[in-house]
Amino acid sequence: MSSFGRPFSSFFRWLSSTVASSWTIFRILYSRLTGLMAGSEKMILNKAAGADEESSRKHRPAEVVASDMQRFMLSLKGSFMQEDGRGVDYAAIKASSEFAEFKEKCTELRGVDLTSLDESDKMAFFLNVYNALTLHGLANLDQLPSSVLEVQDFWSKTCYDIGGHNYSLDDIEHGILRGNRPHPSRKQPCFAPDDPRLTHTVETVDARIHFALVCGAKSCPPINVYSAKNLNFGLAAAARNFCDGEIRVEDKTVSMSKLFLWYSSDFGQTDVKKLRWCLQYLPEGKVTELERLLEGAGDSEKLDFISYHDYNWQINSRA
């Protein structure tokens, strides 16, 4: 090859290599983009099929639907869960006639009118719906994973259509029950200022909801069913049960569930306020030890004797 042709040969080799690299990068980016787009799709579990589509949109009083949800949750709990509500037989639920009837009943959420619910009714309704949606979402999987973290975007994608709007597990927890506070991993509120679902958020955040919401992991609280009438009693019992089991006071140290770390703002802005909030739900022996540790602590933002034990994300399936 002449010296004149060598620069052009080198140029075309460089151009060919660049085009090939660019095409590879494009394919990777395209693949990731389409993956993200697919991952952003909501899984609406109470879609109505065919002729039932319009009938499922018919107005249903929220109180009636709430009562039905309570009844079905109690039935599922009695048949497929451990007595303490901690272990769930998802395979048996999926194959049961009760689950088929439950799924049919869930389509009625599409036509529910939430405007008639007062604060207590609303909290009980959404607590039960959240736990029902968790059970529904996990039982609906083709194969149950060992950990709920293995289900991609489970809490942000798993939804019910309620009154014409989609509510994911995250929407119910952070948008409704936490009064539109941000998810612990984000800075922005769950709902945008123009989101119509904002009209249904609770006015006062009750931190005890964290002991009632079941995310599908072994470290989650046990599953219970709530009504407006038993709401305060039920949340107080759930708080006592969780705090006694998940707060350990020994050798001048306190070990707590990571729920108290992730949702610190719901329990108190400082470590001292958080521990003082917990005192009301601890047995006498732990109260005495904790009060001794808190003497002279003032209102310290951080206390060096607090640690947070690992959260067990394994599926809360019944052995």
Side-chain angles (χ1 to χ4, degrees):
M1 180 180 296
S2 68
S3 58
F4 178 78
R6 288 195 187 100
F8 287 96
S9 176
S10 299
F11 170 75
F12 284 118
R13 282 200 302 271
W14 170 83
L15 182 61
S16 176
S17 173
T18 301
V19 169
S21 297
S22 298
W23 176 242
T24 300
I25 292 171
F26 171 77
R27 284 189 299 171
I28 293 172
L29 290 175
Y30 178 77
S31 174
R32 291 186 177 179
L33 178 60
T34 53
L36 286 172
M37 290 171 65
S40 67
E41 293 178 0
K42 302 292 187 182
M43 294 187 298
I44 305 168
L45 299 186
N46 64 336
K47 288 182 177 179
D52 294 330
E53 171 72 26
E54 187 174 343
S55 63
S56 71
R57 288 288 184 200
K58 290 181 179 178
H59 172 78
R60 291 278 291 161
E63 295 82 356
V64 174
V65 177
S67 178
D68 287 346
M69 292 291 291
Q70 292 163 23
R71 180 167 57 85
F72 274 98
M73 287 296 291
L74 285 170
S75 175
L76 291 175
K77 182 178 180 181
S79 300
F80 305 106
M81 303 178 203
Q82 291 175 189
E83 189 174 346
D84 63 2
R86 286 194 174 274
V88 182
D89 191 339
Y90 288 103
I93 286 180
K94 186 173 186 176
S96 70
S97 59
E98 291 99 322
F99 187 54
E101 190 178 356
F102 168 77
K103 290 190 290 184
E104 180 66 26
K105 184 61 64 173
C106 284
T107 62
E108 295 183 1
L109 288 168
R110 296 162 58 84
V112 75
D113 179 11
L114 298 174
T115 58
S116 62
L117 296 177
D118 64 21
E119 192 82 345
S120 295
D121 287 319
K122 186 187 303 179
M123 284 186 64
F125 175 83
F126 276 107
L127 285 171
N128 291 333
V129 167
Y130 182 99
N131 292 338
L133 182 54
T134 297
L135 285 177
H136 194 163
L138 291 175
N140 225 43
L141 294 173
D142 293 332
Q143 183 173 356
L144 193 68
S146 59
S147 167
V148 69
L149 294 179
E150 295 173 18
V151 185
Q152 183 180 8
D153 302 324
F154 179 71
W155 297 286
S156 61
K157 292 197 329 184
T158 308
C159 302
Y160 279 148
D161 176 336
I162 304 175
H165 298 289
N166 292 334
Y167 290 81
S168 68
L169 290 164
D170 276 347
D171 293 333
I172 294 172
E173 179 177 4
H174 309 294
I176 301 297
L177 294 172
R178 296 186 64 234
N180 202 36
R181 294 183 179 181
H183 184 285
S185 66
R186 305 185 189 104
K187 294 182 179 180
Q188 298 299 320
C190 187
F191 298 149
D194 59 348
D195 195 313
R197 296 171 297 179
L198 274 175
T199 59
H200 305 305
T201 60
V202 299
E203 295 178 6
T204 303
V205 177
D206 189 331
R208 297 176 299 177
I209 62 167
H210 296 297
F211 314 131
L213 296 172
V214 182
C215 68
K218 285 188 179 296
S219 281
C220 286
I223 295 174
N224 285 302
V225 182
Y226 299 90
S227 69
K229 289 182 179 179
N230 79 357
L231 184 62
N232 186 59
F233 176 84
L235 289 177
R240 285 192 296 269
N241 184 49
F242 191 87
C243 289
D244 187 25
E246 294 291 340
I247 298 178
R248 305 157 195 167
V249 186
E250 53 189 17
D251 299 327
K252 298 182 179 180
T253 63
V254 178
S255 177
M256 310 177 75
S257 165
K258 283 190 175 177
L259 281 180
F260 293 103
L261 174 63
W262 298 328
Y263 300 105
S264 287
S265 61
D266 294 355
F267 297 102
Q269 294 294 335
T270 67
D271 280 354
V272 169
K273 287 181 178 177
K274 179 163 52 183
L275 291 181
R276 292 202 182 282
W277 184 96
C278 293
L279 286 173
Q280 61 190 312
Y281 298 111
L282 289 171
E284 187 176 346
K286 287 185 179 180
V287 169
T288 301
E289 293 182 66
L290 196 51
E291 285 182 332
R292 190 179 297 120
L293 283 174
L294 287 171
E295 288 178 2
D299 195 22
S300 301
E301 184 172 343
K302 295 291 182 184
L303 296 173
D304 56 12
F305 58 75
I306 294 181
S307 64
Y308 300 93
H309 44 264
D310 289 338
Y311 205 81
N312 186 350
W313 289 104
Q314 296 297 299
I315 290 285
N316 61 340
S317 57
R318 187 163 70 184

